[in-house]
Amino acid sequence: MASGNAPNGGTPDALVRELRASVRGEVAFDATARALTTMDASNYRRVPLGVVTPRDADDVAATLAACRAHGVPVVPRGGGTSIAGQATGTGVVLDLTRHLRSIVELDPASRTAVVQPGVVLDDLRAAAAPHGLTFGPDPSTHSRCTIGGMIGNNSCGSHSVAWGTTADNVHALTVARYGGDTLRLERGAEGPAGLRELVAGHLALLRTGFPGLPRRISGYALDALLPENGPDPARAFCGSEGTLGVVTEATLRLVEAPAARALAVLGYADESAAAEAAPGLLPFHPLTVEGMAADLVREPAGLPRGAAWLFAETGGATPAEARAHAERLVRAASAGAVDAAVVTDPAGQRALWRIREDAAGTATRMPDSSEAWPGWEDCAVPPARLGPYLRDFRALLTEHGLRGTPYGHFGDGCIHVRIDFDLLTGPGVARFRRFSEDLASLVVAHGGSLSGEHGDGQARAELLPRMYGDELVALFGRFKDLWDPDGGMNPGILTRPARLDENLRFEVLPKKPVDVEFGYPHDGGDFSAAVRRCVGVAKCRTEQTSGPSVMCPSFRATGEEAHSTRGRARLLHEMLAGEAGGVITDGWRSTEVRDALDLCLSCKGCRSDCPVGVDMATYKAEFLHHHYRGRLRPAAHYAMGWLPRWLRLASPFAGALNALARVRPLAALAGRVSGIAPERGIPVLARERFTRWLNRRWGKGTFILSGDRIATLWPDTFTEHLSPEVGRAAVRVLEATGRQVLPAGRGLCCGLTYVSTGQLTRARTVMRRTLKRLGGMLGTPVIVLEPSCAATLRTDLPELLPDDPRAAELAASVRTLAEYLEEYAPDWEPPRLDRQVTGQTHCHQHAVLGDAADRRLRERAGLSGELTGGCCGLAGNFGFERGHWEVSVACAEDQLLPAVRQAPPGTEILADGFSCRTQLAQLGGVRARHLAEVLAEGLDAGAPPQAPRSSGAGAA
């Protein structure tokens, strides 16, 4: 049997043939599949032989049989969000997330659900919600973690003070063993042969060897097998981290969900004060008692005063009852709190919970941008000991010269923390080991558990003797052997574990920064550090979302890990590892990385929605630059990447070219030559460029004002050549504030299309030329109507020209129309339009610019309703490129098109981005407008009708 640390040589051809002959699901032993599963959300990395995606329980059994015959280990894997390394392995990874995700039965009368292991927790909760039920455990990864993974780790979540751990909510399990048989586990069942005798021979040890606390997750739960506890082999199986067998079906207990909830947030002077207060809230039977400190809060919107907070959720049959419950709790806790707030509005509660749930990601970057890592992520102590434990924990950090900010489930005594370990150098790794050993002793001294939620994995299993003693740990080994005598299930985890400082994922990365084009200012200019940002919490794997979230549209369209932000980061990690042990060894020329990035829409949603700020759009541009350097590029890169130049050349011939584009054979030929998807229509060229119209306007006697009465408008490529009506409308609005509008200059270009296609040398040239042409205009506010261009000027420009102070100056000058009006014309009153709106917040605006000013402007204008999140799916050149049509449509169907179809008659469709308007016109047959157009129409109400305006987006 291969060990947990066995190296992987060539692909075992005989195993692959047998798997493909016996398994109906996918069998993938290629570099991409292996690279995607080298890591979970931990510090560890193990390279598998391959990945099998079973379609049903028979496929699971067939995979186990084939692997047993060839002596290859098996690692069950759910969402891959484990933080201790247990979802990595050197054998065959069983990906249970793709097909085994059926809710087989949901019985409201018995309050049970029968599910397959790949069911995502939020999907189960959504199915149970119409019956007033829910599944109690709810880790912060609830939108992507799977039931199988929760069983493997005995997951808990924020509501465990009310509803317990996963083990508390499992009724029965169907488990396939490596040895070939299948067991049904439930209270009173036998389990594998010899289990009853093992327990009977060690009753005293099992009755005295386990600490009594709500979050004891470490080790195997052998005390669940005591006669007085059932025995309950299903409960004992929970938390076994894939080392005993594979769950193929689970029967779960559901709990009654309160009809209404309220959230009491209490502010404290520091985290110790919050920790001391947490146990005092438990007699009021809250649903949650969560704690966190100010270091982890990006934006304290809605939080009361304080440097640390407790989040205590209460339930009730009515909103009034839930609020009264929360207010009683606040009154009882008021003596120790600095401030408090009770929030009953669901949107307000969601916003506050997002602050807490994102902590696992935000904690990975310290306030000074230095890196912090898991490893001691979730120790637990008795709740009454939490205050003293945190003080001792802080002292231990100081003793070792480390930093970290605790947060987590204060009501259960379970603490999460990311610590600024140096895991890149030998001395740093040695300090990591010394600290781990000392902290294990400290936790045990406080009567705690090394793991209070996420399991032991490789991070803590080596230290289990400190918690349980050698005799009980030896019993764990015998328990494992009864289940898995061949040692094929996830070896190196829990029993006979690998050392906690082996298999660190950073070992294979370059020791020196690689040569790159972008400045990566938040990562010290180091591309490897930028890629390391992805710690694997996998928020990008959320398949269904609502509200403003954008990330990750390609994963929601395909459901494939390779097309998630995390998947692409994993491939880049393996590319950087290269010859040092990476799965991908051809560097920037990698076709695996290229193919995964091909469906990245460069929406930049991950830049804001990813808790650690991974910016895959920038990484994609960087990769494409190196990948195609000195080589022929795809035709679309020349057609769409050089779009500003082609449009300038085509402008004098707009009428003739529009007519030719309406000739189908010619349009089809042009599309084939330029790499444009055959399903796409070619946008209509404006007969008169925007700046030419503006110049003519000056020629009609318009006088030039001076000083702050001049508004500078950026003539972006889309407004200039494809939708000049947006520019004309913006001029009308700005003139209504008493401004004279001037273009920022002639022949300006932000470089967007060159950046998005990875032509970074050309982008830098274009940007420098633009900065030179701006001349004396630098430093004055510049209004940019196209969100993607504004985002490029704000971020890509200074990151590609980090040593040019003019780039930073221009970036700081960029304003959206709404930002400009709010800042420079605060007393101007927009026309009152009083109508409903829907449509799209541009993904770059969401990710880079923010839309708070736009929301306030819409509200002042009486435009009510919310715009969707997500991505329109066109995303500049992406949706026009051949091969992207289906994903582009799927992205639009995720949020945007359904919102437009469901809008009542008369609803105004807003979309500030040219891509968004084009997508709506071509897929939805609707005319969307820029906010400037709607405001200008309001200003012109009562004026003579204008000539019909071209949408600039219809198919020619």
Side-chain angles (χ1 to χ4, degrees):
M1 174 55 56
S3 73
N5 302 309
N8 288 288
T11 301
D13 295 335
L15 172 62
V16 174
R17 286 195 299 271
E18 185 170 341
L19 287 169
R20 287 180 175 158
S22 60
V23 173
R24 295 189 303 112
E26 295 81 7
V27 176
F29 279 58
D30 58 281
T32 296
R34 296 169 65 215
L36 291 172
T37 50
T38 56
M39 292 173 274
D40 49 16
S42 71
N43 297 326
Y44 299 99
R45 171 184 175 273
R46 295 192 292 175
V47 180
L49 286 174
V51 181
V52 174
T53 308
R55 289 190 174 273
D56 51 27
D58 289 341
D59 271 2
V60 172
T63 302
L64 293 172
C67 289
R68 182 176 69 254
H70 291 271
V72 173
V74 172
V75 182
R77 183 177 169 108
T81 56
S82 297
I83 297 182
Q86 59 267 57
T88 69
T90 58
V92 167
V93 171
L94 268 179
D95 179 2
L96 302 170
T97 65
R98 194 65 190 272
H99 303 302
L100 288 169
R101 49 188 310 167
S102 296
I103 299 174
V104 179
E105 181 183 359
L106 198 153
D107 183 358
S110 64
R111 294 184 180 177
T112 60
V114 180
V115 302
Q116 292 181 319
V119 168
V120 171
L121 173 57
D122 270 2
D123 292 343
L124 173 60
R125 297 202 301 180
H131 307 287
L133 301 173
T134 191
F135 187 61
D138 61 337
S140 60
T141 54
H142 53 81
S143 63
R144 59 269 190 198
C145 70
T146 64
I147 298 299
M150 293 177 67
I151 292 168
N153 290 348
N154 194 10
S155 299
C156 308
S158 60
H159 288 86
S160 61
V161 295
W163 296 321
T165 71
T166 297
D168 295 318
N169 293 274
V170 168
H171 175 71
L173 299 173
T174 302
V175 174
R177 295 172 65 197
Y178 191 80
D181 58 340
T182 297
L183 297 179
R184 171 77 172 179
L185 306 179
E186 55 190 332
R187 184 179 290 272
E190 288 292 326
L195 186 56
R196 176 181 293 182
E197 291 75 16
L198 181 72
V199 172
H202 299 86
L203 291 175
L205 179 61
L206 295 179
R207 285 173 173 145
T208 61
F210 293 90
L213 69 161
R215 286 297 192 95
R216 188 254 300 161
I217 304 298
S218 280
Y220 292 118
L222 298 188
D223 54 333
L225 300 173
L226 288 166
E228 60 267 29
N229 291 333
D232 192 346
R235 187 181 184 93
F237 187 93
C238 291
S240 58
E241 303 181 20
T243 63
L244 305 182
V246 182
V247 174
T248 58
E249 194 170 87
T251 303
L252 309 174
R253 300 185 185 95
L254 303 177
V255 297
E256 185 175 353
R261 304 189 191 207
L263 182 61
V265 185
L266 301 107
Y268 293 88
D270 55 44
E271 71 192 12
S272 292
E276 297 278 7
L281 305 184
L282 299 180
F284 293 89
H285 304 292
L287 300 174
T288 61
V289 180
E290 299 289 289
M292 67 185 303
D295 291 356
L296 300 178
V297 179
R298 287 176 173 171
E299 297 180 6
L303 288 171
R305 291 179 298 113
W309 296 271
L310 290 180
F311 293 62
E313 188 180 64
T314 59
T318 64
E321 184 178 314
R323 182 181 186 91
H325 190 175
E327 289 172 343
R328 284 196 302 273
L329 185 149
V330 167
R331 285 194 298 271
S334 60
V338 174
D339 195 9
V342 173
V343 182
T344 56
D345 170 49
Q349 292 183 57
R350 285 194 298 272
L352 289 168
W353 275 124
R354 180 177 178 180
I355 295 173
R356 162 60 187 89
E357 291 176 353
D358 282 353
T362 56
T364 65
R365 281 295 187 275
M366 309 294 284
D368 63 358
S369 295
S370 59
E371 296 167 306
W373 305 106
W376 284 93
E377 177 68 17
D378 64 321
C379 300
V381 298
R385 297 290 307 163
L386 184 58
Y389 166 74
L390 280 177
R391 285 190 289 272
D392 289 346
F393 172 75
R394 283 289 194 184
L396 188 64
L397 282 175
T398 301
E399 178 184 334
H400 285 269
L402 297 169
R403 296 176 298 161
T405 301
Y407 66 98
H409 314 294
F410 281 24
D412 268 342
C414 180
I415 293 300
H416 298 316
V417 64
R418 299 290 170 105
I419 300 172
D420 66 336
F421 298 119
D422 168 16
L423 299 177
L424 303 176
T425 68
V429 173
R431 180 167 59 169
F432 166 61
R433 165 168 279 280
R434 291 193 302 271
F435 174 83
S436 300
E437 293 169 342
D438 289 349
L439 181 55
S441 297
L442 177 63
V443 171
V444 172
H446 281 275
S449 173
L450 304 187
S451 171
E453 182 164 26
H454 294 143
D456 298 307
Q458 189 178 339
R460 289 175 285 270
E462 182 190 355
L463 301 173
L464 285 177
R466 295 178 182 240
M467 177 179 171
Y468 287 117
D470 292 336
E471 186 179 4
L472 190 51
V473 169
L475 196 62
F476 289 165
R478 292 177 59 187
F479 177 69
K480 153 79 169 173
D481 292 342
L482 288 176
W483 279 91
D484 179 28
D486 294 316
M489 292 305 305
N490 209 4
I493 299 298
L494 268 183
T495 58
R496 296 175 279 275
R499 290 166 55 91
L500 62 88
D501 50 358
E502 292 178 324
N503 303 324
L504 293 172
R505 66 186 179 101
F506 315 97
E507 293 172 345
V508 295
L509 289 177
K511 306 308 178 188
K512 296 180 180 179
V514 297
D515 185 24
V516 288
E517 300 298 310
F518 283 95
Y520 302 101
H522 304 297
D523 298 290
D526 186 354
F527 184 64
S528 295
V531 172
R532 286 200 306 268
R533 278 181 174 269
C534 180
V535 292
V537 295
K539 193 175 179 183
C540 51
R541 279 180 56 96
T542 302
E543 293 185 7
Q544 301 296 330
T545 187
S546 60
S549 177
V550 172
M551 181 184 72
C552 175
S554 54
F555 176 78
R556 290 205 296 274
T558 66
E560 295 182 13
E561 175 79 10
H563 300 303
S564 69
T565 306
R566 181 179 72 173
R568 294 171 179 128
R570 293 293 180 255
L571 288 163
L572 287 168
H573 184 109
E574 295 301 315
M575 180 198 81
L576 289 171
E579 298 295 338
V583 177
I584 295 169
T585 57
D586 48 355
W588 296 112
R589 298 298 196 201
S590 166
T591 55
E592 295 88 359
V593 178
R594 181 202 64 198
D595 292 346
L597 288 170
D598 181 57
L599 292 188
C600 171
L601 288 87
S602 298
C603 68
K604 287 188 177 287
C606 46
R607 185 173 178 124
S608 61
D609 293 350
C610 172
V612 293
V614 168
D615 184 359
M616 194 53 62
T618 297
Y619 306 169
K620 176 181 179 178
E622 184 77 62
F623 175 83
L624 291 177
H625 169 83
H626 295 280
H627 185 76
Y628 288 111
R629 195 168 195 168
R631 296 199 296 176
L632 191 66
R633 289 173 165 269
H637 284 202
Y638 300 108
M640 305 299 295
W642 288 62
L643 185 66
R645 183 173 187 177
W646 304 140
L647 289 177
R648 283 196 299 274
L649 293 173
S651 181
F653 315 103
L657 291 172
N658 288 337
L660 290 173
R662 288 192 289 270
V663 180
R664 289 183 179 274
L666 290 177
L669 177 61
R672 282 197 299 274
V673 171
S674 58
I676 293 176
E679 300 88 350
R680 287 290 175 192
I682 299 175
V684 175
L685 296 173
R687 289 181 174 273
E688 183 179 42
R689 291 180 291 110
F690 165 65
T691 51
R692 181 168 183 175
W693 171 86
L694 193 55
N695 290 334
R696 282 198 303 103
R697 191 174 181 82
W698 297 342
K700 291 184 177 179
T702 307
F703 61 94
I704 303 296
L705 300 172
S706 61
D708 63 359
R709 308 309 289 174
I710 293 176
T712 305
L713 193 61
W714 183 273
D716 66 85
T717 294
F718 306 98
T719 301
E720 175 76 348
H721 297 287
L722 299 171
S723 54
E725 65 272 16
V726 172
R728 295 195 295 265
V731 170
R732 175 71 181 92
V733 171
L734 290 165
E735 287 181 348
T737 72
R739 265 69 179 173
Q740 175 75 40
V741 181
L742 297 178
R746 290 174 55 86
L748 305 181
C749 179
C750 67
L752 164 67
T753 57
Y754 301 102
V755 171
S756 64
T757 54
Q759 301 180 74
L760 300 185
T761 301
R762 179 63 185 168
R764 196 179 280 112
T765 299
V766 168
M767 290 171 172
R768 286 199 179 106
R769 184 181 64 204
T770 290
L771 291 171
K772 182 178 180 180
R773 289 178 176 176
L774 280 172
M777 301 296 289
L778 276 171
T780 61
V782 176
I783 304 160
V784 186
L785 300 174
E786 174 59 43
S788 56
C789 295
T792 300
L793 293 170
R794 280 258 182 102
T795 59
D796 297 318
L797 173 70
E799 290 175 15
L800 270 176
L801 300 175
D803 298 324
D804 191 332
R806 299 174 303 172
E809 191 173 11
L810 176 55
S813 301
V814 169
R815 301 290 188 276
T816 66
L817 176 63
E819 287 173 339
Y820 180 88
L821 293 173
E822 189 169 85
E823 188 174 351
Y824 295 96
D827 298 327
W828 178 70
E829 285 297 326
R832 189 72 188 179
L833 302 170
D834 293 323
R835 69 185 72 159
Q836 190 78 14
V837 298
T838 190
Q840 176 89 54
T841 298
H842 193 286
C843 49
H844 286 186
Q845 176 146 15
H846 167 84
V848 176
L849 309 169
D851 67 342
D854 292 75
R855 288 173 176 270
R856 290 189 288 267
L857 178 57
R858 293 199 303 267
E859 183 178 352
R860 290 168 59 202
L863 296 172
S864 58
E866 291 295 321
L867 306 187
T868 72
C871 179
C872 72
L874 191 57
N877 57 288
F878 176 86
F880 274 97
E881 292 181 6
R882 187 180 294 117
H884 293 171
W885 170 257
E886 290 183 358
V887 170
S888 178
V889 172
C891 291
E893 290 287 0
D894 183 45
Q895 292 190 62
L896 178 57
L897 290 179
V900 170
R901 294 188 194 109
Q902 294 163 15
T907 299
E908 184 71 53
I909 312 299
L910 289 179
D912 281 3
F914 176 78
S915 290
C916 308
R917 296 194 298 273
T918 301
Q919 187 81 314
L920 283 165
Q922 294 193 353
L923 298 186
V926 297
R927 165 77 194 280
R929 296 197 288 175
H930 194 288
L931 179 59
E933 295 179 89
V934 179
L935 294 174
E937 181 182 72
L939 290 170
D940 292 336
Q946 298 183 14
R949 293 170 295 213
S950 165
S951 70

